[in-house]
Amino acid sequence: MSSALPITLAAAGGAAILNFWLSMRTGNARRAAKVSIGDGGDPALIGRMRAQANFIEYTPIVLILIGAIELSQGSSTWLWAVTAIYLLGRVGHALGMDGMPIGRFAGTITSLLTMLGLGIYALIIPFTAPNPPVTMVPVTVQQPAG
């Protein structure tokens, strides 16, 4: 049995696990800073909260684009690659928010380019996809008797 949208399904599953990881990291920073609501001005907590919030800002539109493109074009190696690169970029961004500057930069660039590239491609598809052939169905008209 195969799924109808395997790339989208894998991307959504990966995003859910990544969001869980980001949530746990934020919770750990909250406990360490002894802050239950807000950020308490704690730099580590602020960074973790922003990493998760930034993930939530980008990921829904990227998942929608992946799903729409896969639905209209089918599964492809390049879409698998873009999906994997996006998710890895989000991990890099989260690590970058903890002080690994190249991770934050790479994650930000990856997210922006993924969203832009998929968005442009999604705009092009309707104008370049071949139209399905029109099927003519013969119709028989009967004259009423009389």
Side-chain angles (χ1 to χ4, degrees):
M1 177 183 221
S2 65
S3 65
L5 297 171
I7 301 171
T8 305
L9 188 59
I17 291 167
L18 186 50
N19 193 39
F20 177 82
W21 175 68
L22 292 167
S23 297
M24 293 294 98
R25 289 167 41 89
T26 300
N28 291 339
R30 282 191 180 287
R31 279 188 293 288
K34 295 180 173 58
V35 175
S36 64
I37 297 175
D39 60 38
D42 183 79
L45 178 55
I46 292 168
R48 297 242 174 127
M49 288 174 65
R50 280 307 308 147
Q52 185 177 16
N54 192 268
F55 177 80
I56 295 301
E57 291 164 2
Y58 282 97
T59 302
I61 190 67
V62 170
L63 288 175
I64 289 168
L65 287 166
I66 290 167
I69 290 168
E70 185 176 19
L71 190 60
S72 67
Q73 300 285 293
S75 300
S76 64
T77 303
W78 75 265
L79 194 55
W80 277 110
V82 167
T83 300
I85 291 167
Y86 174 76
L87 292 174
L88 289 172
R90 297 315 306 169
V91 170
H93 180 269
L95 296 175
M97 293 300 285
D98 277 352
M100 187 176 88
I102 190 68
R104 183 176 181 193
F105 175 76
T108 299
I109 293 298
T110 299
S111 296
L112 290 171
L113 291 179
T114 298
M115 187 172 56
L116 180 63
L118 290 175
I120 290 170
Y121 190 64
L123 282 172
I124 291 172
I125 291 171
F127 300 103
T128 60
N131 292 326
V134 176
T135 305
M136 302 296 288
V137 178
V139 176
T140 305
V141 178
Q142 293 182 348
Q143 293 292 327

